[in-house]
Amino acid sequence: MKQLPRIRFAQLPTAVEALPRLSAQFGGPQLFVKRDDQTGLAFGGNKSRKLEFLVAEAQANGARTLITAGAVQSNHCRQTAAAAARFGFDCILLLTTTGVKTKLPASSPPHEEDPGLSLRTPESYTSNLMLDKLLGAEIVWTETNRREEKLQETFNHAWQAGRRPYLIPYGGSNPVGASAYVYALIELLKQSHETVLEGLIPDWIVIPSSSGGTQAGLVLGAHISGYRGRVLGISIDEPAHVLKERVAKLAMSTAELLGERVSIDVENILVNDDYLGGGYGVMGESEKRAIQMFARLEGLLLDPVYTGRASAGLIDLLERNYFNRSDTILFWHTGGTPALFADPYQAMIL
Ligand SMILES: *Cc1c(COP(=O)(O)O)cnc(C)c1O
């Protein structure tokens, strides 16, 4: 594999732990978890791995400002802000105002950066949004339908102001970011003998999948390493056909970047979109139940948006005997736990 520029700051390899009490609930498959919520960098998460490569590329390009975009409670934005602080970049975050219920008080707060725009900015800065500010990021607000245009505009402004911006896409999911999960899959296979897996190779890897970089990297890593299990993405916000296509394309372009010749067929990408519920960021009863089960049976904290939904899907599939009784299943914890404390989730979780 071609070596890409990389700054090693994530806490790797992440631990693999057994989930015996949760496994016992379903009387069959053995469940494990890979703790990518513990990758370090401002509470950790899957974006640490991607940022090792993205920040290295930004540095190599002589950039001085990292720009990225996401939802109000974006973990990716929080971790990008932290990486920017750590490596001496300015950071501009473009946040969309949908996905979080906000009350608009009579005296709504002034809109940052764009006072003329009538947007529903959150009245309180909690959790990831609070951390973005604490980490020194500049925040620009946008509504969903203008976000592409606004992102370009923000980039152009920064460029014209001589700030040497580097644009990181949503979720850090371009070939540079996705390549991190090629290495993550190889890391998992390498560590199987030194962990509770005791040499077992999981039959299944279950992950939340959204911008697709995590799944694309794992799928490509599986091809390159000859991993024989399946990588099942539980879709967070996209119909399966859209996400499958995105993952396959990204896996192929990542292969090209790494100088690997592989052919990845859309039909071999496993995505389940049965658990979209009320849409992105809307925590329903099934997410709540799954988060409570992981917390109360294993003392493990998930997040309301991604791992909450993916674990709800996993639990449903277990209850419907989707897996063989002898299967080993690795749930890849991608992080996001700070959002547990965000409005409106914290009030709904109990
Ligand atoms: C970004 C994120 C994901 C989704 O990863 P993608 O690579 O965008 O599919 C999953 N879980 C958490 C906690 C995230 O922050």
Side-chain angles (χ1 to χ4, degrees):
M1 240 170 8
K2 204 178 125 198
Q3 293 292 312
L4 301 179
R6 177 178 190 177
I7 307 173
R8 290 180 184 269
F9 56 79
Q11 300 294 318
L12 304 178
T14 54
V16 175
E17 294 170 357
L19 300 172
R21 294 198 348 111
L22 195 63
S23 303
Q25 286 284 305
F26 305 104
Q30 251 188 303
L31 302 174
F32 296 88
V33 62
K34 178 128 170 96
R35 298 294 305 273
D36 273 21
D37 57 319
Q38 306 274 302
T39 51
L41 190 65
F43 293 131
N46 61 345
K47 306 310 181 307
S48 297
R49 288 189 192 265
K50 298 178 179 184
L51 285 163
E52 283 196 331
F53 292 89
L54 292 162
V55 173
E57 192 187 60
Q59 253 180 11
N61 290 357
R64 282 205 300 272
T65 304
L66 303 183
I67 299 181
T68 197
V72 176
Q73 284 297 334
S74 165
N75 305 301
H76 165 65
C77 288
R78 179 238 316 156
Q79 290 210 275
T80 301
R86 180 150 172 193
F87 296 100
F89 295 87
D90 289 344
C91 182
I92 306 175
L93 302 175
L94 182 76
L95 303 182
T96 43
T97 49
T98 51
V100 162
K101 287 194 194 103
T102 55
K103 285 170 277 162
L104 199 64
S107 59
S108 55
H111 304 302
E112 292 171 58
E113 295 283 308
D114 205 349
L117 208 63
S118 114
L119 290 179
R120 295 177 136 229
T121 58
E123 61 187 296
S124 62
Y125 281 71
T126 61
S127 306
N128 283 322
L129 179 56
M130 181 272 279
L131 294 170
D132 294 342
K133 299 274 280 185
L134 176 61
L135 292 160
E138 298 159 44
I139 293 169
V140 178
W141 295 100
T142 180
E143 63 264 85
T144 315
N145 56 6
R146 285 196 60 216
R147 59 184 203 175
E148 296 311 325
E149 169 195 346
K150 192 87 183 146
L151 190 57
Q152 197 53 53
E153 209 177 283
T154 304
F155 183 88
N156 293 344
H157 277 158
W159 186 262
Q160 282 152 15
R163 300 181 69 185
R164 313 221 32 186
Y166 174 88
L167 187 64
I168 298 179
Y170 288 90
S173 286
N174 58 15
V176 172
S179 64
Y181 271 87
V182 175
Y183 289 98
L185 195 277
I186 294 168
E187 170 188 304
L188 172 72
L189 299 181
K190 258 205 225 151
Q191 75 182 151
S192 75
H193 284 277
E194 294 126 46
T195 63
V196 285
L197 285 169
E198 294 178 341
L200 269 176
I201 300 296
D203 299 295
W204 295 87
I205 292 172
V206 178
I207 47 155
S209 193
S210 179
S211 67
T214 304
Q215 187 168 9
L218 291 175
V219 164
L220 178 59
H223 265 75
I224 291 173
S225 65
Y227 169 67
R228 297 167 80 90
R230 310 294 316 264
V231 178
L232 171 61
I234 306 289
S235 178
I236 300 306
D237 51 356
E238 295 282 13
H241 71 275
V242 173
L243 187 53
K244 276 184 177 188
E245 188 111 356
R246 180 184 299 166
V247 169
K249 258 190 164 155
L250 186 53
M252 290 295 280
S253 48
T254 306
E256 203 176 302
L257 177 72
L258 293 172
E260 292 287 323
R261 277 176 187 280
V262 298
S263 134
I264 287 161
D265 185 356
V266 185
E267 289 319 306
N268 291 332
I269 306 288
L270 263 188
V271 168
N272 184 318
D273 65 358
D274 289 342
Y275 306 101
L276 300 178
Y280 180 83
V282 179
M283 188 175 70
E285 279 309 308
S286 58
E287 286 90 5
K288 182 172 150 181
R289 173 173 172 251
I291 293 169
Q292 289 184 352
M293 281 182 88
F294 272 71
R296 292 169 187 181
L297 290 168
E298 298 289 353
L300 189 62
L301 300 175
L302 303 180
D303 84 281
V305 178
Y306 297 95
T307 54
R309 179 157 292 171
S311 61
L314 171 61
I315 287 170
D316 184 62
L317 294 171
L318 285 161
E319 287 175 340
R320 296 198 288 112
N321 298 317
Y322 174 83
F323 305 102
N324 291 323
R325 296 179 65 85
S326 59
D327 282 350
T328 52
I329 302 169
L330 182 111
F331 182 71
W332 206 302
H333 191 334
T334 47
T337 41
L340 275 181
F341 307 102
D343 291 329
Y345 306 120
Q346 63 170 339
M348 296 166 62
I349 200 75
L350 300 180

